[in-house]
Amino acid sequence: LPVRVPASPELSARGAAIVAAAASIYGSVDEASDAMLSDGQLVLPRPAATATYSRIYQDVYLPGLDELQGLARSLARSLGRRLG
């Protein structure tokens, strides 16, 4: 998917301001975003990189997901917490 990189620094503060403006001035978060953000650089997917990351996701991440979840549960138990 193409991604538009915001041109603005301080995106956390900008996001909070957008939510506040959506609740008070604009009718929705989409309207506030349209009014408060300028278009940034459009980044298009690179087919070779997309193929590489898709392979990594399928061959490495998905097969290891159960193990990662088990490790997270073990860590939570060690800390006396439950995972949701």
Side-chain angles (χ1 to χ4, degrees):
L1 296 173
V3 174
R4 187 158 304 275
V5 178
S8 169
E10 300 296 334
L11 293 177
S12 296
R14 179 69 55 109
I18 288 170
V19 170
S24 59
I25 299 170
Y26 297 97
S28 69
V29 171
D30 286 338
E31 284 182 33
S33 296
D34 289 344
M36 297 174 69
L37 292 176
S38 59
D39 287 343
Q41 175 186 5
L42 182 64
V43 178
L44 300 174
R46 296 182 322 221
T50 300
T52 297
Y53 284 108
S54 291
R55 247 187 346 272
I56 291 169
Y57 180 77
Q58 292 294 323
D59 298 345
V60 177
Y61 178 76
L62 286 180
L65 188 55
D66 287 337
E67 184 176 348
L68 289 172
Q69 289 173 334
L71 291 170
R73 282 190 290 276
S74 294
L75 178 60
R77 274 194 305 275
S78 294
L79 298 173
R81 298 180 182 156
R82 282 181 37 134
L83 291 179

